[in-house]
Amino acid sequence: MSEMLLTDPAAERAVLSGIFNYGKDAYFDVADIVNENTFTVDSNAIIYKCLKHVLENDSAESIDIPSIFSAASELGLSYVFDKREEVKHLNAITKFPVNLGNVRKFGAKVRKLEIARLLNRQLTEAQDKIKTLNGDENLSYILGLAEDAIFDFSSLLNDKGDAPVIVGENIEEYVKFLEENPCEQMGLSTGYPVYDSAIGGGLRRGTVNVIGARPKVGKTLLADNIGLHISSELDVPVLNLDTEMVLDDHRHRTLAMTSEVSINDIETGQFSKTPDKRDKIYKAAEKLDKIPYFHYSIGGMPFEEQLSIMRRWLAKEVGLNPDGTAKNCVLIYDYVKLMSSDSISNAMAEFQVLGFMMTGLHNFALRYKVPILAFIQLNRDGITRESTDTASGSDRIIWLCSNFSIFKVKSDEEIAEDGVGNGNRKLVPLVARHGAGLDAGDYINMKMKGWCGKIEEGKTASEIRENNTQSEEGFIVDDDEEEIPFA
């Protein structure tokens, strides 16, 4: 499409005339959505710069033609009005009829046309990249060229241009709305009430929630437990973006969690030899078939391509609201790590690349107002220490997350103090922007049943010590259970 079609000189004149005739009342009504680049006629862009200079730098309440000439001189643009046709053009603009109430409407129109021109250029660039393809690229990469041009650009479509407001403005109406629309908690429940409370009411829209763990502790099982709860109990779509495991691994685990038949029996097909187990597996399969729990293996995939997968899922499976945000859903990213050494150079270290990945997830969560549950690998300090500096990669991971928790194996001393029945893992919320977290040294007891992949939440360590109970409250131990470590 020719950019000559994406212009409206009359609307541009209306905006300029409104500013000239109504001064600051009109200028500050459109200053948040237009700038000199919004105008397609060079003369209009120059006149806007002069009007802006007069109103912002000279503190003038009203404008006349001499003040525009003076501004042009100060800006080094006086040569423009040496031409007779430019002076005539300026005079015509000052006499162009427009009502003050319509100035912003015309401003919004020329802004949308500017966005359309920029998008046209973006798509042209994508087309140029497509022309360089040789057929060796995978399909996701090819589709991503077009999708990135559209989805990354869509943030410009928000043309509300809201001005700052007084915090207390209409606050009584807001309080009434809260009263008439109560909810149990602000975010989506993970299935772990104590954890939900500690981080501020579950997984909130527009946030990145981070859980760190050492290898083979069970973070992938924790991801599946949370994903399965949200998709099955809340009927909210969940996408598990997995960097290490394949679809069959998740099928075995979710079947085991739902049926409480061992993962080993499912993987080997031995469940079929026991009628009761076979019946449980088929009932679990019937249930899982109706649950909106999605999986996508992103191992080795460039981060930009991963973002394309996420956007495509939102558009196709979840749906977008009129303002471009996503409907209710959760993204699970397991886990934030460098996919290859290609991103590392002399100018950018690994921790910087991981920091940029976290920034990308943070921006994605804000742009589409979706909650993201991201897992990270703890460095070796995470074996013995419980602090934010155990997060591998970058401080930016901690800066940009809404909350940060550590999931780890309990020590023998902790198991003895809490009681054997109170779990073999612990979840330690360290940072909680919206929640109260836990007191220093406290943690949530978690029991991982490795044989069937289930992870159950128990009491906090402080609650157990206060109640001075070890076996009467908490988890019930089944002597027949066998703990099998899974990642």
Side-chain angles (χ1 to χ4, degrees):
M1 177 185 294
S2 172
E3 290 200 356
M4 294 301 294
L5 300 177
L6 300 173
T7 180
D8 189 337
E12 293 181 16
R13 284 192 176 199
V15 173
L16 296 174
S17 176
I19 297 173
F20 180 88
N21 288 291
Y22 300 109
K24 289 185 177 181
D25 287 342
Y27 173 71
F28 288 111
D29 208 21
V30 297
D32 59 332
I33 56 176
V34 303
N35 56 59
E36 56 265 27
N37 297 320
T38 308
F39 299 89
T40 57
V41 179
D42 292 341
S43 299
N44 291 344
I46 291 170
I47 293 171
Y48 180 82
K49 289 181 69 174
C50 293
L51 292 170
K52 177 181 178 180
H53 184 81
V54 172
L55 293 169
E56 289 191 356
N57 299 326
D58 296 342
S59 300
E61 293 297 329
S62 60
I63 305 174
D64 54 24
I65 290 180
S67 64
I68 293 179
F69 289 160
S70 175
S73 178
E74 292 176 12
L75 293 170
L77 299 170
S78 58
Y79 66 91
V80 174
F81 297 107
D82 290 339
K83 301 175 183 178
R84 191 169 190 176
E85 59 270 24
E86 294 296 345
V87 176
K88 287 179 64 177
H89 178 68
L90 175 60
N91 279 315
I93 282 177
T94 63
K95 298 173 183 177
F96 194 85
V98 61
N99 293 324
L100 176 61
N102 291 330
V103 175
R104 185 171 178 83
K105 182 183 73 173
F106 287 115
K109 184 173 185 179
V110 296
R111 170 59 173 162
K112 290 176 183 177
L113 289 171
E114 180 194 14
I115 291 174
R117 294 192 299 274
L118 292 172
L119 180 57
N120 183 48
R121 293 170 204 166
Q122 187 95 343
L123 293 175
T124 300
E125 289 180 10
Q127 188 178 39
D128 291 339
K129 291 179 182 178
I130 291 173
K131 291 177 181 178
T132 66
L133 298 175
N134 57 27
D136 293 331
E137 301 83 1
N138 60 49
L139 184 58
S140 292
Y141 174 78
I142 296 173
L143 293 175
L145 292 177
E147 291 170 345
D148 290 348
I150 296 172
F151 284 104
D152 287 345
F153 202 77
S154 60
S155 60
L156 291 175
L157 298 179
N158 183 3
D159 58 3
K160 292 188 299 182
D162 291 335
V165 298
I166 297 173
V167 173
E169 183 178 350
N170 299 322
I171 196 166
E172 290 186 10
E173 294 180 14
Y174 179 65
V175 170
K176 188 170 183 61
F177 169 80
L178 294 176
E179 181 183 15
E180 294 175 350
N181 298 273
C183 61
E184 293 297 324
Q185 61 182 32
M186 287 301 297
L188 293 169
S189 172
T190 61
Y192 301 125
V194 182
Y195 172 65
D196 289 343
S197 177
I199 64 174
L203 306 179
R204 296 177 176 228
R205 293 174 69 90
T207 64
V208 179
N209 310 265
V210 178
I211 297 177
R214 289 291 296 161
K216 310 303 179 185
V217 169
K219 60 180 178 293
T220 302
L221 279 182
L222 185 60
D224 268 335
N225 274 264
I226 293 174
L228 191 59
H229 170 81
I230 294 172
S231 58
S232 62
E233 300 303 318
L234 307 182
D235 195 29
V236 171
V238 177
L239 173 60
N240 187 317
L241 297 146
D242 193 345
T243 61
E244 292 189 330
M245 296 192 174
V246 296
L247 177 60
D248 283 349
D249 292 321
H250 290 272
R251 283 177 167 169
H252 298 152
R253 291 161 184 242
T254 52
L255 280 169
M257 293 172 198
T258 308
S259 65
E260 294 206 353
V261 173
S262 76
I263 295 175
N264 185 63
D265 282 350
I266 295 170
E267 288 179 325
T268 60
Q270 294 299 311
F271 68 88
S272 62
K273 296 181 179 179
T274 306
D276 180 55
K277 290 182 179 180
R278 184 178 182 278
D279 183 56
K280 288 181 178 180
I281 290 297
Y282 273 96
K283 286 182 178 178
E286 183 180 3
K287 180 179 179 180
L288 290 171
D289 186 51
K290 301 173 183 177
I291 292 173
Y293 188 34
F294 298 77
H295 170 268
Y296 201 101
S297 179
I298 56 173
M301 186 181 293
F303 187 65
E304 294 75 12
E305 193 171 336
Q306 297 172 25
L307 294 177
S308 294
I309 298 294
M310 293 158 62
R311 284 190 292 260
R312 197 178 310 145
W313 180 73
L314 292 182
K316 182 180 178 181
E317 303 293 346
V318 177
L320 301 178
N321 298 310
D323 62 356
T325 60
K327 295 180 179 178
N328 235 8
C329 67
V330 172
L331 290 162
I332 296 178
Y333 193 100
D334 182 22
Y335 61 97
V336 180
K337 68 175 182 179
L338 201 66
M339 294 300 174
S340 71
S341 60
D342 295 343
S343 302
I344 304 178
S345 65
N346 292 332
M348 188 170 292
E350 178 178 359
F351 75 90
Q352 291 174 307
V353 177
L354 292 174
F356 284 127
M357 290 176 66
M358 185 63 189
T359 301
L361 291 176
H362 173 74
N363 292 341
F364 190 96
L366 288 177
R367 168 66 186 87
Y368 294 102
K369 294 293 186 291
V370 297
I372 297 178
L373 176 62
F375 289 81
I376 64 169
Q377 194 102 282
L378 295 181
N379 56 37
R380 292 189 61 82
D381 287 340
I383 299 175
T384 55
R385 296 172 57 191
E386 294 169 5
S387 60
T388 57
D389 57 4
T390 59
S392 292
S394 173
D395 284 342
R396 193 171 302 188
I397 291 176
I398 306 302
W399 297 340
L400 296 176
C401 69
S402 176
N403 50 78
F404 173 67
S405 306
I406 288 178
F407 183 62
K408 64 188 301 184
V409 177
K410 290 172 64 174
S411 66
D412 292 339
E413 292 79 9
E414 289 168 332
I415 292 176
E417 185 174 0
D418 295 333
V420 176
N422 282 301
N424 49 14
R425 300 291 190 276
K426 64 179 181 178
L427 190 57
V428 191
L430 295 176
V431 175
R433 182 170 296 165
H434 299 105
L438 296 179
D439 292 336
D442 201 2
Y443 54 81
I444 304 169
N445 279 279
M446 309 291 287
K447 182 175 183 179
M448 188 177 89
K449 300 178 180 179
W451 62 277
C452 70
K454 293 188 80 168
I455 299 178
E456 301 170 349
E457 181 186 74
K459 296 179 180 295
T460 63
S462 61
E463 287 177 317
I464 293 173
R465 290 159 193 163
E466 286 173 6
N467 295 333
N468 196 26
T469 60
Q470 293 182 345
S471 59
E472 293 180 2
E473 294 183 315
F475 295 111
I476 304 300
V477 180
D478 185 345
D479 293 333
D480 294 330
E481 288 180 359
E482 177 184 2
E483 286 292 341
I484 303 173
F486 284 91

